[in-house]
Amino acid sequence: MKVLKFGGTSVGTPQRMKHIGALLTKSDEEKIVVLSAVSGTTNSLVEIIQHFKDGNRELALEKSGALRSSYMTFIGELLENEDRRGRATEIVTQHFGEIDRLIRQPYLPQIEKVIVVQGEMISTNLFYLHLEEAGISSKLIMAADFIYLNENHEPDLTIISNKLKNILSQYREFSLFITQGFICRNVNGGIDNLDRGGSDYSATLIGSALKVEEIQIWTDIDGMHNNDPRVVDKTKPISDLSFEEAGELAYFGAKILHPNCIIPAQQEDVPVRIKNTMNPEAYGTLITSNQSPEAVKAIAAKDGITAIKIKSTRMINAYGFLRRVFEIFEKYKTPVDMITTSEIAVSLTIDNPAFLDDIVDELKGYAKVEVDENQTIICIVGDLVAEHEGVGKEIFHALENVPIRMISYGGSRNNISLLVDSRFKKKSLQYLNKRLFDL
Ligand code: ASP
Ligand code: MG
């Protein structure tokens, strides 16, 4: 069995949905297909929710009406059979009816969660109807029936595996299943989601829970690229990555994968392949437990980083200082990305500044604190063990004209991270591309 996830642009138009239908018939192995919402839909739903939260109900309803009519056009182009078009219209009407009903109620966080996942409910239903029209037999199963979160708000692979196996065993006559990405259920039994971009995570959770042969993430690019194609002109797809490398890249900026999605695949050792819907023949990127030997494989950048320097004379020869520092970050549930230390100071970075003021206030009880906003982490990924001589030299040579705020090396064998002011991001990525990949 394989799991195939198609992202928003891959299901973004009726033609593309049909194209995916055709792709699925190319082999008759068992498949579970995970779909995102049609591209733009989740953003529109987030906007609708914002108007609703702001008390701007009329505007929320107006936007919901506009989104609904875009689906009516979609249905007209996707389906030919009148009866099936009628069923599709009914489904879309029902989902938007629910959205509008919720918008008319007083705001509750749970309402927000129900609204934001409607895009996936609609895309999977429409795709199912298309398959039916194309004569392809499939079974639509509901992600909220088997993707469960635990009390720490993390997916529980054991529950997922048990529930999903149980569902599949009821439909043995089917070899093609369709389900929603992004959607899950929390410990309170409420509808929840795996965060923006979470459909990748849904796919790897499903594939890992069932220990499938391969998890395929179908997107609109020929795999993970060795640098950010939006910033640097010459980039190329990377054919093979280890789980560690892909995890670092996804976490540090490569927008193509959800940062958590590698975790379950790595845990269950299930290969993940990134494929291009528009160019299915291309190899893509294969992510496995194998570490191939190239020293530098890719460069990624993560913006919106805040650097915090914590300086204390009492740190000299002291123990317990770092513990106190980290306890403050823990208290405010703020993850730390990069960290570097010297004898009297420690610098670290966060990407979520929601509690920055509180954190800084508390740190000031122990130390002098300096904050730099608008920073970018540049992450260089590969097999960067010390035996690969010269990598450091090349990196610093490439960046000789860029002020570097922090350097982190040796934390893992796969990553060198540098922190620069975001103004220098483009320049840094270009220089590194030229020097490290000769592109
Ligand atoms: N539709 C959700 C989003 O746009 C989940 C996903 O597409 O992965 O974030
Ligand atoms: Mg995505």
Side-chain angles (χ1 to χ4, degrees):
M1 181 180 281
K2 286 187 180 161
V3 173
L4 290 81
K5 177 257 172 178
F6 294 91
T9 41
S10 302
V11 292
T13 64
Q15 291 67 32
R16 288 190 177 178
M17 263 197 189
K18 290 180 194 172
H19 175 67
I20 294 177
L23 265 179
L24 296 179
T25 57
K26 292 213 166 128
S27 71
D28 48 24
E29 69 209 328
E30 283 192 290
K31 300 180 191 81
I32 299 186
V33 172
V34 178
L35 298 185
S36 287
V38 168
S39 59
T41 295
T42 313
N43 284 343
S44 300
L45 292 171
V46 167
E47 220 184 287
I48 290 166
I49 290 164
Q50 195 54 49
H51 294 314
F52 165 52
K53 263 169 121 169
D54 294 344
N56 220 333
R57 277 207 173 73
E58 288 316 308
L59 193 53
L61 289 168
E62 192 187 310
K63 297 269 174 197
S64 142
L67 189 58
R68 177 203 310 236
S69 32
S70 74
Y71 275 104
M72 295 307 165
T73 317
F74 198 103
I75 291 171
E77 289 170 28
L78 182 72
L79 302 168
E80 271 165 27
N81 175 287
E82 273 313 318
D83 170 55
R84 213 170 270 112
R85 277 188 184 172
R87 280 159 63 202
T89 307
E90 211 173 284
I91 287 166
V92 168
T93 306
Q94 183 211 321
H95 284 283
F96 279 94
E98 175 71 355
I99 293 173
D100 293 356
R101 186 184 70 77
L102 292 169
I103 292 174
R104 292 197 177 88
Q105 299 197 356
Y107 173 81
L108 279 177
Q110 187 51 36
I111 294 187
E112 178 167 348
K113 299 202 163 175
V114 175
I115 295 179
V116 78
V117 301
Q118 295 304 315
E120 273 72 11
M121 293 303 298
I122 295 172
S123 64
T124 45
N125 270 289
L126 294 182
F127 185 62
Y128 171 79
L129 288 174
H130 161 65
L131 290 182
E132 190 188 89
E133 187 157 282
I136 304 166
S137 159
S138 73
K139 177 76 199 160
L140 179 58
I141 57 176
M142 297 299 145
D145 290 342
F146 58 88
I147 307 272
Y148 273 60
L149 302 181
N150 63 21
E151 54 291 347
N152 298 322
H153 215 73
E154 278 159 12
D156 188 314
L157 210 52
T158 312
I159 299 184
I160 295 172
S161 172
N162 291 339
K163 293 214 178 268
L164 182 54
K165 282 179 186 160
N166 183 25
I167 293 170
L168 297 183
S169 71
Q170 294 166 35
Y171 303 108
R172 288 193 201 281
E173 65 276 30
F174 290 93
S175 59
L176 175 60
F177 293 88
I178 315 294
T179 194
Q180 302 82 24
F182 191 46
I183 306 183
C184 61
R185 199 178 284 283
N186 59 37
V187 267
N188 306 320
I191 293 293
D192 217 309
N193 64 75
L194 298 171
D195 293 335
R196 294 304 306 272
S199 296
D200 299 336
Y201 201 11
S202 306
T204 58
L205 286 166
I206 292 170
S208 310
L210 298 175
K211 297 196 186 21
V212 297
E213 187 190 329
E214 188 170 283
I215 299 160
Q216 299 183 343
I217 308 285
W218 288 79
T219 175
D220 50 6
I221 182 165
D222 282 343
M224 268 193 165
H225 275 227
N226 62 344
N227 206 330
D228 189 337
R230 292 160 306 178
V231 180
V232 175
D233 290 337
K234 295 180 192 157
T235 65
K236 57 175 197 257
I238 316 161
S239 52
D240 295 275
L241 283 172
S242 67
F243 288 121
E244 286 83 1
E245 290 167 337
E248 305 261 21
L249 277 177
Y251 188 72
F252 287 111
K255 287 280 176 307
I256 184 166
L257 281 184
H258 183 279
N260 291 343
C261 80
I262 294 299
I263 301 167
Q266 178 167 20
Q267 191 183 316
E268 300 302 326
D269 199 8
V270 180
V272 178
R273 193 188 286 272
I274 302 171
K275 296 280 289 174
N276 186 352
T277 320
M278 301 304 138
N279 185 11
E281 305 310 324
Y283 180 83
T285 298
L286 181 62
I287 305 164
T288 63
S289 50
N290 298 336
Q291 175 71 60
S292 59
E294 301 100 290
V296 178
K297 288 209 186 128
I299 303 164
K302 187 175 180 182
D303 295 325
I305 302 294
T306 304
I308 305 169
K309 186 195 277 174
I310 304 150
K311 196 169 172 184
S312 166
T313 43
R314 275 170 291 159
M315 194 176 154
I316 301 173
N317 274 329
Y319 43 83
F321 178 73
L322 285 177
R323 179 179 52 76
R324 284 203 297 274
V325 166
F326 282 113
E327 269 170 3
I328 296 171
F329 287 86
E330 191 182 341
K331 178 172 165 193
Y332 292 101
K333 293 195 168 30
T334 299
V336 170
D337 283 335
M338 254 177 101
I339 163 160
T340 58
T341 65
S342 78
E343 191 53 30
I344 56 158
V346 45
S347 270
L348 44 80
T349 69
I350 58 173
D351 68 355
N352 178 0
F355 297 104
L356 180 62
D357 292 343
D358 299 300
I359 290 170
V360 168
D361 278 348
E362 292 210 22
L363 286 170
K364 280 186 173 159
Y366 303 103
K368 268 172 59 187
V369 182
E370 277 171 42
V371 173
D372 289 314
E373 281 163 309
N374 299 319
Q375 304 288 305
T376 294
I377 295 178
I378 310 269
C379 169
I380 297 146
V381 163
D383 190 15
L384 303 167
V385 279
E387 297 91 81
H388 273 121
E389 287 164 25
V391 178
K393 184 181 128 217
E394 294 300 319
I395 291 171
F396 290 114
H397 214 292
L399 297 179
E400 62 188 354
N401 294 317
V402 177
I404 300 172
R405 167 77 173 73
M406 280 169 69
I407 301 167
S408 174
Y409 172 53
S412 86
R413 63 185 279 157
N414 300 114
N415 171 330
I416 296 178
S417 296
L418 307 161
L419 189 74
V420 300
D421 190 296
S422 299
R423 284 178 295 151
F424 303 118
K425 165 186 168 179
K426 188 166 180 187
K427 212 161 123 178
S428 307
L429 291 183
Q430 284 169 338
Y431 289 163
L432 285 167
N433 209 50
K434 209 165 166 36
R435 186 92 199 178
L436 298 177
F437 302 128
D438 198 17
L439 289 173

